[in-house]
């Protein structure tokens, strides 16, 4: 058994509406090993959620359309599977949890029904066995008095409890891969800490790999081994969390790290920001998508799109000035800050 | 200097917006077609005396039931020998008056009640909506008949009777919309700025509730034209021999097999009108939405 | 020391709950805000943190009388807003503005940005059309937008730009105090930093006072001079930001701080993982509302409600642990 669980090659996703084509995902590649967690970070519109839903072929089509690339799951290309084969994989080998646990649970069925449904869908078990398994799952995700809770409806649960239920459903078939799309964004910090703790614990128990979609770098540091930084549908940097945190290379990643508010920021110092806003993906982007907001640009940035280069072992960057031979020097923060405030 | 120039630019804003509403409407081909039909109808109604080739009520027993294209009668004649084209042209007056008038009547009163019920809620809501429920519990025709017998006959009374029948529908549509708009954060923001209820209702709640109202209104116009036909048939609408499309349709129904043109011509007129109004309504709704940049 | 700009005393809001039996009045209520007192000094930023349902947003709306309080007083420049007659309240409230959380929902989609920013002036009948326009253009510049944006509609703007529009609208009446209810929670990190910088600059330039409500402890620490921590409708701890972050007294504050996500993959944070979530505010636990989740629970906690105690340095907290010493 190879250690490689998922290999995504050059994934491209487009949305068509009338004559406009939105390139939501533009050549995303990464590999994920067993028991490994990868974080996909980016701001809204960066294509991180579309990437995740495309892995399960769940993007609404039309208007969505996976226009290129390969998704190799245990060596099989998911894009060549029939709809039926794909359904067998969903929930069974790969499951997904979403940001809003209230809307992803059906309000008219009890929590127990919904867990049991997912178990029975993929495993040949009797109703009694399914119920046993459901109780076991609820217990596992830390829901007290699971026998009683089984007969309750989603609205009777708090946000954190609902996300626990979602995790119970997602893990009920021992998936090899769990895709979590902003699972803690809607939750309070204390509850977020609980849920992340729970995910780490369950991962050890179930040997599941996790793809964590988030805009919060804190969550990435918390739970992931690797991280993929996305901007305007492109991966601009990819590497281990330690590498990305300690030696970030792309100017966008620098900006992202600098705009985090951390304990180290002095009292009345201005925050570093990335000026401007992300590009409109409906328009053809020439050159590097980050160029209009980047403070290190030269002519080439506006004419040629940079390639992903492995600058160090397991550290990939898409920037013209970050190659094996050349390095871009990160400007000192304070000068950068002043420049931004003035503009 | 730069500042005053900027102010000038800003003052252009309002005008460009008004101009662009019409432009947006025209650029939508379907809406333009709808607008064309509506204009055509209104012009027909206004200039009926000039357009009509005969007096609409003049009977001629020697020339009954002539077909389309008969000499001197473009669309033939009916069972009394009246010129169908002329009746159609005059009938447009009644149909448009009743259609637009009744819907306007129902829409204004219904929306007002709906806004009050939805915006203020509580007792206002209960009382108004229970009255609306009571009103819509009567079959529409029964309600109209009762009203007509109370009000007495006449075109205005037909409009009022059909209009009253339309009130509950509008009240309900508007109330539902207001209930959801009222929850929006921008309403709370406006309250926090110190705005009074009147301003909130007329500047924020109503403009954001208008889209479904317009769609509903255009569909109701068709209904009102047909209701007028039914009332005329029952002898409660406009009095014969005054022509209305509804009464023409009813007259023609007895000759459907041998002289289908008598019923199909007013039927087609109603159909085209209704389609035109609906297309126009759809276009208007889109044009009113600032997000639609045609 | 100068007089406080805003003095809130024993503010309460109880929302009655509909009884399950029709036509019968329920005597149960949600104590959304339950006896909150604080001062806000001119020019300072008071942060209010807490989890969802702790009453921080309700409190914001009570302060500017958007919701009438059940009891208590809100004194602005020495005048009590509670029970003030409507006309005078409208006048006074010009000095107290709000910025809301959702930049998408807080702008009427059918108005142009110019109309939106001018609206407070129109409502209060200040100036003529020309002077209103001038003021709008002025403010667009202040918040970092351009004059031509006045003709645009809200949907044409990104979240960060919309929040700038909201801020411009809040500034148009030259307020003394702006209540910001989670103003950056809905924004992306890089944009969040832009808006926070803008708020800071405006405070400096116009000597503004902020009440800054947020669930993001990092943002609050950066923005605020003093911080109030709320739990189930009560302030459980309040002090300068340094005191709160470096020397938290209440176990709930400690837990909140420990739940802040890591700042680097190398961090090895000791976490206080709380059990469950915030309890149901209809039936809050007896005694200290926090005792069921508290890692330091003692017998007294379930029976007696702890009072806010001064622990020095302008730092107050309500916990029985503090009483022991």
């Amino acid at each position: 058994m190879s250690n490689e669980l998922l290999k995504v090659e050059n994934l491209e996703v487009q949305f068509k509406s009338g004559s406009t084509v939105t390139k939501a995902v533009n050549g995303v590649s990464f590999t994920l090993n067993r028991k490994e967690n990868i974080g996909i970070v980016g701001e809204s519109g960066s294509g991180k959620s579309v990437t995740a839903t495309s892995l399960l072929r769940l993007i609404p089509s039309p208007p969505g359309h996976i226009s290129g690339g390969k998704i190799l799951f245990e060596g099989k290309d998911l894009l060549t599977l029939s709809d039926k084969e794909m359904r067998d994989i969903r929930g069974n080998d790969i499951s997904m949890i979403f940001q809003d646990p209230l809307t992803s649970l059906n309000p008219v069925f009890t929590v127990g029904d919904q867990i049991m449904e997912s178990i029975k869908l993929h495993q040949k078990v009797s109703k009694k066995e399914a119920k046993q398994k459901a109780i076991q799952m609820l217990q596992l995700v830390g829901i007290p008095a699971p026998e009683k809770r089984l007969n309750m409806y989603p609205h009777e649960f708090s946000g954190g409890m609902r996300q626990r239920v979602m995790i119970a459903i997602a893990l009920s078939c021992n998936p090899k891969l769990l895709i979590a799309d902003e699972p803690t964004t809607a939750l309070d910090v204390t509850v977020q800490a609980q849920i992340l703790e729970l995910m780490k614990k369950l991962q050890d128990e179930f040997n599941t790999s996790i793809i964590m979609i988030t805009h919060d770098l804190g969550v990435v540091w918390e739970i992931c081994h690797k991280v993929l930084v996305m901007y305007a549908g492109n991966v601009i940097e990819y590497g281990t969390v330690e590498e990305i945190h300690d030696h970030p290379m792309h100017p966008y990643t620098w900006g992202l790290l600098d705009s985090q508010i951390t304990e180290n920021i002095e009292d009345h110092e201005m925050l570093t920001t990335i000026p401007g806003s992300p590009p409109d993906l409906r328009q053809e982007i020439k050159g590097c998508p980050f160029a209009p907001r980047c403070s290190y640009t030269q002519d080439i940035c506006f004419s040629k799109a940079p390639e992903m280069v492995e600058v160090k072992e397991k550290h990939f960057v898409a920037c013209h000035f970050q190659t094996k031979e050349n390095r871009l020097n990160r400007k000192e923060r304070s000068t950068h800050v002043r420049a931004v405030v003035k503009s | 200097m730069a500042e005053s120039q900027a102010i000038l630019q800003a003052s252009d804003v309002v005008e460009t917006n008004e101009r662009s509403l019409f432009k947006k409407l025209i650029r939508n081909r379907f809406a333009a077609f709808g607008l064309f039909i509506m204009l055509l109808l209104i012009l027909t109604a206004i200039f009926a005396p000039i357009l009509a080739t005969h007096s609409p009520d003049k009977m001629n027993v020697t020339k009954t039931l002539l077909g389309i294209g008969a000499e001197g009668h473009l669309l033939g004649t009916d069972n009394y020998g009246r010129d169908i084209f002329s009746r159609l042209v005059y009938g447009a007056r009644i149909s448009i008056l009743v259609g637009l008038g009744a819907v306007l009547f129902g829409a204004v009163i219904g929306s007002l009640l709906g806004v009050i019920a939805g915006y203020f809620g509580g007792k206002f809501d209960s009382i108004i909506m229970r009255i609306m429920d009571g009103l819509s519990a009567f079959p529409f025709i029964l309600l109209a008949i009762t009203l007509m017998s109370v009000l007495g006959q006449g075109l205005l009374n037909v409009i009022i009777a059909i209009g009253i029948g339309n009130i509950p529908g509008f009240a309900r549509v508007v109330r539902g919309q207001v209930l959801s708009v009222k929850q929006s954060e921008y309403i709370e923001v406006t309250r926090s700025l110190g705005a009074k209820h009147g301003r909130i209702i007329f500047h924020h709640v109503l403009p954001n509730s208008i889209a479904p109202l317009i769609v509903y209104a255009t569909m109701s116009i068709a209904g009102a034209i047909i209701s007028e036909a039914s009332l005329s048939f029952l002898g409660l609408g406009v009095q014969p021999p005054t022509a209305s499309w509804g009464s023409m349709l009813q007259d023609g129904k007895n000759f459907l097999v041998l002289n289908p043109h008598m019923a199909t011509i007013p039927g087609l007129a109603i159909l085209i009108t209704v389609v035109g109004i609906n297309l126009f309504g759809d276009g208007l709704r889109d044009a009113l939405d600032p997000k639609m940049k045609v | 020391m100068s007089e406080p700009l805003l003095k809130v005393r024993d503010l309460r809001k109880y929302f009655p709950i509909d009884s399950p039996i029709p036509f019968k009045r329920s005597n149960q209520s949600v104590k959304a805000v339950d006896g909150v007192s604080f001062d806000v000094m001119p020019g300072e930023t008071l942060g209010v943190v807490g989890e969802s349902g702790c009453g921080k947003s309700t409190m914001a709306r009570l302060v500017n009388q958007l919701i009438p309080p059940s009891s208590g007083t809100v004194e602005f420049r020495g005048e009590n807003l509670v029970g003030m007659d409507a006309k005078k309240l409208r006048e006074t409230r010009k000095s107290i503005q709000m910025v809301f959380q959702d930049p998408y929902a807080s702008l009427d989609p059918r108005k142009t940005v110019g109309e939106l920013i001018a609206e407070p002036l129109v409502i209060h009948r200040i100036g003529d059309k020309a002077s209103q326009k001038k003021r709008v253009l002025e403010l667009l510049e202040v918040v970092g937008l351009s004059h031509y944006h006045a003709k645009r509609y809200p949907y044409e703007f990104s979240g960060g730009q919309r929040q700038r529009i909201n801020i411009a609208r809040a500034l148009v009446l030259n307020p003394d105090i702006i209540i910001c209810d989670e103003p950056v929670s809905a924004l992306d990190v890089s944009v969040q930093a832009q808006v926070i910088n803008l708020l800071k600059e405006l405070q400096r330039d116009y000597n503004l006072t902020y009440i800054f409500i947020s669930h993001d402890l990092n943002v609050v620490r950066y923005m605020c001079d003093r911080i109030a921590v709320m739990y189930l409708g009560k302030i459980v701890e309040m002090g300068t930001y340094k005191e709160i972050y470096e020397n938290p007294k209440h176990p709930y504050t400690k837990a909140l701080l420990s739940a802040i996500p890591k700042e680097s993959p190398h961090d090895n944070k000791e976490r206080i993982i709380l059990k469950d979530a915030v309890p149901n505010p209809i039936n809050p636990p007896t005694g200290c509302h926090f005792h069921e989740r508290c890692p330091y629970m003692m017998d007294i906690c379930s029976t007696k409600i702890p009072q806010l105690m001064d622990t020095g340095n302008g730092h107050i907290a309500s916990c029985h642990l503090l009483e022991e010493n």
Side-chain angles (χ1 to χ4, degrees), chain A residues 104-124:
Chain A
S104 33
L105 286 167
N106 188 334
V108 301
F109 290 107
T110 64
V111 160
D113 285 340
Q114 298 186 53
I115 303 178
M116 276 147 65
E117 187 197 359
S118 108
I119 294 170
K120 281 194 291 185
L121 218 53
H122 293 289
Q123 295 172 5
K124 285 203 173 98

Side-chain angles (χ1 to χ4, degrees), chain A residues 232-252:
Chain A
N234 291 276
V235 177
I236 52 108
E237 191 158 6
Y238 165 44
T240 61
V241 279
E242 289 81 10
E243 265 295 309
I244 301 287
H245 179 270
D246 298 343
H247 311 288
M249 290 200 178
H250 197 283
Y252 176 67

Side-chain angles (χ1 to χ4, degrees), chain A residues 42-44 144 158 161 187-194 197 200 215-219 221-222 241-242 245-246 256 259-277 293 341, chain C residues 50-52 56 158 161 187-194 196-198 200-201 204 215 217-219 221-222 225 241-242 252 255-256 259-266 269 271 273-278 293:
Chain A
E43 299 181 82
S44 36
S158 69
M161 283 295 178
L187 305 175
D188 282 315
V189 263
T190 58
V191 182
Q192 165 169 301
Q194 292 168 13
E197 204 64 27
K200 276 191 266 186
H215 68 277
D216 187 345
L217 282 167
V219 172
W221 308 146
E222 201 76 49
V241 279
E242 289 81 10
H245 179 270
D246 298 343
L256 208 56
S259 37
Q260 305 278 323
I261 305 170
T262 62
E263 279 174 33
N264 311 323
I265 291 185
E266 289 304 314
D267 270 9
H268 290 287
E269 183 183 351
M270 279 287 170
L271 295 173
T272 316
T273 65
I274 308 173
S277 40
R293 300 175 74 187
V341 170
Chain C
E51 294 175 275
S52 45
K56 54 190 193 300
S158 66
Q161 288 173 316
L187 305 175
D188 278 317
V189 223
S190 71
V191 182
Q192 180 174 312
Q194 291 174 6
I196 289 176
N197 279 347
L198 173 67
K200 278 248 168 187
E201 277 173 45
R204 196 186 53 211
H215 68 274
L217 294 141
N218 281 330
V219 173
R221 190 188 64 89
Y222 175 73
D225 303 306
Y241 80 95
K242 275 220 156 85
Y252 178 62
L256 268 184
I260 300 176
K262 287 184 187 179
E263 288 184 2
S264 104
H266 311 297
K269 256 186 135 153
R271 280 266 156 80
I273 298 276
L274 290 178
K275 279 177 288 176
D276 308 330
V278 181
R293 300 173 78 193

Side-chain angles (χ1 to χ4, degrees), chain B residues 158-203:
Chain B
V158 172
I159 291 175
I160 293 173
I162 297 174
I164 289 176
N166 270 316
I167 291 175
F170 279 103
R172 213 161 282 141
V173 168
V174 171
R175 173 181 173 269
Q177 194 63 20
V178 168
L179 280 180
S180 81
V181 171
K182 190 175 75 161
Q183 299 294 323
S184 316
E185 209 170 78
Y186 57 81
I187 301 298
E188 198 185 10
V189 174
T190 318
R191 286 212 304 130
S192 85
L193 295 175
K196 293 175 182 166
H197 293 309
R199 183 175 175 86
I200 296 175
I201 290 175
F202 290 107
H203 282 257

